[in-house]
Amino acid sequence: MLIYRPLIFFSFFFFPCLLLVSAQFNNEIDLSWGGDRAKFIDNGNLLQLSLDQISGAGFQTKNEYLFGKIDMQIKVVPGNSAGTVTAYYLSSSGSTHDEIDFEFLGNVSGEPYILHTNIYTQGKGEREQQFYLWFDPRLDFHTYSILWNEHQIIFSVDGTPIRVFRNAEHLGVPYPKSQPMRLYSSLWCADNWATKGGIVKTDWSRAPFVASYRAFKTDACTYSAGKSSCSLPLVKGRWWNHQALSNGHLRKLQWVQRNYMIYNYCTDYKRFPQGVPPECKLNN
């Protein structure tokens, strides 16, 4: 297996031990599709999505956000999950949407999940990085976090940063800073591509497939009726907008990318024979 070894720049954000706002799912989340395949249990503290041969399911937050930090604990589909995708992402609307993606690509029993990440700005994506994880995400809940501010986006897992996308507007690269985004999640079948490029198909005899969610937490600026809950001075004063990663977190970022990254668009010279995208100067 080829492991990419990108260079890392050292101006990221430290995640201090602060309590984020946590609430029951049924106060913060709308079940958006899938009928009874999306449901709250445990008095609204746990949410489950299921997938069968007829349909998957999904949910979305009631609020839209414009900068902040969002955490979710997720336990992905256990056992043989080939062909399934558990998506967890922020997205704005429209053809020039912005989007920040976590996608968990299922696999056959005993083989590792692939954590697929991507970022869209002004409707353009193709910024994929993929990882194996240093644990089996099927066995228990783990915390998947997005920190998004005017300077950069940080993906982290259980507090360990795995990816950074820095603002490269000075290089002509659009950055998501003006379109509010809602948090979405869905469980769906993508066996035409998700597992080994579509070679391994979903085994429907194992349905329903179930993904579970809990401990949704936010420290973010909400956006409604054209206005943010945070004025510009308040955004600049929030901890997630200005604090730097410790040396220990920088070492963890390097460790993940050195040992667990399995694809990086910024080193895919066959895909970009005329040169990799300009933001790779900052993010690789």
Side-chain angles (χ1 to χ4, degrees), residues 8-71:
I8 306 298
F9 287 79
F10 297 102
S11 60
F12 307 137
F13 287 78
F14 170 61
F15 306 142
C17 296
L18 296 180
L19 291 176
L20 280 70
V21 176
S22 180
Q24 291 179 315
F25 272 112
N26 53 4
N27 293 329
E28 299 289 328
I29 300 292
D30 288 326
L31 305 179
S32 51
W33 64 281
D36 59 5
R37 295 173 186 83
K39 62 184 178 182
F40 300 110
I41 59 177
D42 188 23
N43 296 316
N45 292 308
L46 184 69
L47 192 157
Q48 289 187 333
L49 299 180
S50 64
L51 166 69
D52 57 32
Q53 203 162 1
I54 297 174
S55 178
F59 66 82
Q60 64 187 49
T61 54
K62 297 178 186 294
N63 289 322
E64 292 182 300
Y65 307 99
L66 190 58
F67 301 137
K69 183 165 186 279
I70 295 176
D71 295 343

Side-chain angles (χ1 to χ4, degrees), residues 53 110 157 231 269:
Q53 203 162 1
V157 178
S231 65
Y269 302 107

Side-chain angles (χ1 to χ4, degrees), residues 80-154:
N80 184 345
S81 57
T84 70
V85 174
T86 305
Y88 162 62
Y89 60 102
L90 286 167
S91 182
S92 61
S93 58
S95 60
T96 57
H97 72 291
D98 297 330
E99 188 169 309
I100 304 169
D101 290 344
F102 278 103
E103 289 185 303
F104 302 86
L105 310 185
N107 219 325
V108 297
S109 298
E111 295 192 13
Y113 259 79
I114 291 175
L115 176 55
H116 176 97
T117 66
N118 200 359
I119 292 173
Y120 287 76
T121 62
Q122 294 293 306
K124 180 183 181 299
E126 299 183 342
R127 298 185 175 98
E128 302 93 344
Q129 289 185 358
Q130 293 183 338
F131 305 83
Y132 289 140
L133 293 166
W134 51 97
F135 55 84
D136 188 339
R138 296 171 285 201
L139 300 181
D140 205 351
F141 287 91
H142 293 270
T143 302
Y144 302 92
S145 304
I146 297 169
L147 189 153
W148 167 40
N149 62 36
E150 58 188 340
H151 308 291
Q152 59 200 336
I153 297 162
I154 300 175

Side-chain angles (χ1 to χ4, degrees), residues 220-224 227-231 234 238:
C221 300
T222 58
Y223 195 90
S224 179
K227 294 184 180 180
S228 172
S229 63
C230 303
S231 65
L234 285 175
R238 301 295 279 271

Side-chain angles (χ1 to χ4, degrees), residues 169-275:
E169 288 179 301
H170 63 289
L171 299 176
V173 179
Y175 183 78
K177 67 177 187 181
S178 59
Q179 298 189 79
M181 293 196 267
R182 200 179 301 274
L183 181 74
Y184 299 87
S185 189
S186 59
L187 175 58
W188 53 292
C189 178
D191 65 2
N192 61 321
W193 65 269
T195 305
K196 297 185 178 180
I199 296 174
V200 182
K201 301 299 182 181
T202 301
D203 180 357
W204 291 110
S205 70
R206 298 177 178 270
F209 302 97
V210 178
S212 302
Y213 304 76
R214 71 183 187 191
F216 171 56
K217 299 179 181 179
T218 62
D219 185 342
C221 300
T222 58
Y223 195 90
S224 179
K227 294 184 180 180
S228 172
S229 63
C230 303
S231 65
L232 187 58
L234 285 175
V235 170
K236 292 184 178 298
R238 301 295 279 271
W239 68 267
W240 38 257
N241 197 56
H242 61 82
Q243 294 191 358
L245 279 179
S246 66
N247 288 335
H249 280 91
L250 290 169
R251 286 192 293 270
K252 287 182 178 180
L253 179 66
Q254 291 177 305
W255 171 75
V256 170
Q257 296 204 340
R258 183 172 59 248
N259 294 294
Y260 294 97
M261 180 182 282
I262 58 173
Y263 177 78
N264 181 4
Y265 79 108
C266 283
T267 58
D268 191 341
Y269 302 107
K270 290 184 178 179
R271 181 179 179 185
F272 301 106
Q274 304 303 316

